[in-house]
Structures are given as C-alpha cells and as structure tokens.
Amino acid sequence: MWPGDWPRPPVWQHNGHWQTIGAALWCRAGGPTAVRWQRTRWLTPDGDFIDIDHAVPPGAVALVVLFHGLEGSSASHYARAFAAVATQRGWGIAVPHFRGCSGEPNWAPRAYHSGDYEEVGWMLARAAQQWPMLPRVAAGVSLGGNALLRWLQEAGESAKATVRAAAAISAPVDLAAAGAAIDQGWNRLLYARHFLRTMRRKAHEKAARYPGLFDLQRALAARTLREFDDAFTAPLHGFRGVDDYWRRASAKPHLHAVRVPTLVLNARNDPFVPAASLPTPQQVSADVHLWQPARGGHVGFAEPIAPGDWRGDVAALPAQVLPWLARAAQIPLA
C-alpha cells in the first residue's frame, strides 16, 4: 500500500505549479554533499556518442539506471536526489544522457524523443556490459519515463534479462493530452517557453551540421511544443508529423504489454500531465503498479526534512521509489 498522505510538501508549495517549480529551483536535492560523478563516453552503432555519468561506490549491491526528462541531465534536481539516496543506501547509479543533453552537440543526424525505446534498450544493454555483476533496475523521469515504458512494452518478457524492476515518474503517457496542456495558458509561459529556449538553440546547431533535414525557420519560429515537435522532432526521427509522433510514442495504449514489475507514479495535480489522461488499473498489465497521489506536481514530491524546514528536499521522491524497486527486484537496500 502507498503512503496515504504522501507527499507532504512545504506549506508554501500549495499547488502543482509551486510543487513543480519549487522542487526544481529551491528545494534541496538529497543533502549538502553533492555526489561526485564519473563520466564515460559510449560510442553508438551509428557513429555517435552517449555520455553517461555514474557513481558506483565500492561494494555497491545494485545499480539504478536513471533516464532524465526533456532537456534534463545528471545535474537535474531529481537526478542529484536519486544519486544521493542511492549511494547513501549502498546502490550505484548511472545517468545516460539523451543525445545533445550532456553539454556537447551530438554528431549524428538524430536527437532524442519521447518514444525513443530503441535508444533506451541500447543504453540498458551497455549498462549491463559495463556492470555485469550488479543487478539492475531502471527509472525514468518525465520524457525518460515514457521512453522507458515504451521499451518495456516493446521488449515484453525479454526485458527481464536486462532489468529486474522499473519505475516511471511523472511520465506523460498520453503525449497529445500532455502537449495540449503544456501549450496552454500559464503552462505555456512557465514551462513551454523554458524548454523551447534550449530546444531552438539545438535545432540551429543541428541544421548547421546537417542542412535540409528539417525546416529550420519553422523550428525557430515555434512558440509551442506542438509546433516545435511538428517542425523538428517528428521529421528528424521518421514520423509523418506531430500527431503521428505523439500517437506512436505514447506509452498509455501499450501498458498491458509490460512484463516487468513497474511503478508508474503520477501526481494528480501535475500541471502538464492532466489527471484525466492517466491510466486506470483496467488499462495496465498485472505487473504495472499505479500510484497517483493528489500532490507532487511535475517531478516535485519534495518534503521538509525537519520542523521549520521551509525549503524541503526532493530526496523524498527516491526515498519512496528506491525501496519499491528494491522490494520488486528482491535486492537489499541499506
């Protein structure tokens, strides 16, 4: 059973927007000491690279592979919180960066997208090669959560050879519903504009390296994620347009195909993952466990760590998710 009153955010985080923004900008992320990442570069079969940041302490008993969200990285608040809690409790953590998200433009024509299950599968296979003796679980946040779910669906029973359990956090499993939500009203000002700032810059860099792949002027003129995905993401990855991309990349229609114990965690006050778009128990397999608390925002889930703590700590999220993964995977967690 899930904690009935979780999370209990700081009092000033009184709605989904504040829980989202507060966690990203002002909350602690797992304690005062930052985890020291090591970086490894993996060369991909198509002549590109993936940068993976990892922290695997001596004697680690397991590895969690964490897939970040849209324009995220190992520096994102949730990645730092997962790293702190995992390493404190005897696990290692690895954060593969989607292409273009590690601080250096990638080399190949492709980038990344919400349904990038082939890339997720390749990353997990490489993690298994690098840490073959450690049992593995996977977690994905927002876009990374949807992409992880799509891999679990495509892999079916074979996913068990790579990971023992998985978790998707704040995943936009219905991309059309999430895209419509983020492009409207305050969401468009608070979130879409923030994402588009770096996405348009990356589109410009991609066009300089590979002219003619997509309509650069349309991508640069985009003022919504829908417009950007139609101009850039869809054509770059072989989709017929934004509607084809969002339909084929959404995880919700295929959750019945998941065969690995998987937690799907979504707050019902997430500003751009509408509660009405979330899956129901009837739409998922017996291996999928839905947790839909009333609070948490989008990848928020912060709680105070002591009376009078006004900032809160995002470590409240991995403090719930990692024990669930440990139980599902039958791996000890200190």
Side-chain angles (χ1 to χ4, degrees), residues 142-166:
S142 194
L143 174 150
N146 186 82
L148 174 60
L149 289 172
R150 287 292 291 115
W151 173 76
L152 289 165
Q153 295 158 3
E154 294 291 329
E157 289 284 346
S158 68
K160 295 177 180 178
T162 307
V163 297
R164 294 191 184 185

Side-chain angles (χ1 to χ4, degrees), residues 49 104 153 167 186 219:
F49 68 90
E104 180 181 334
Q153 295 158 3
W186 282 106

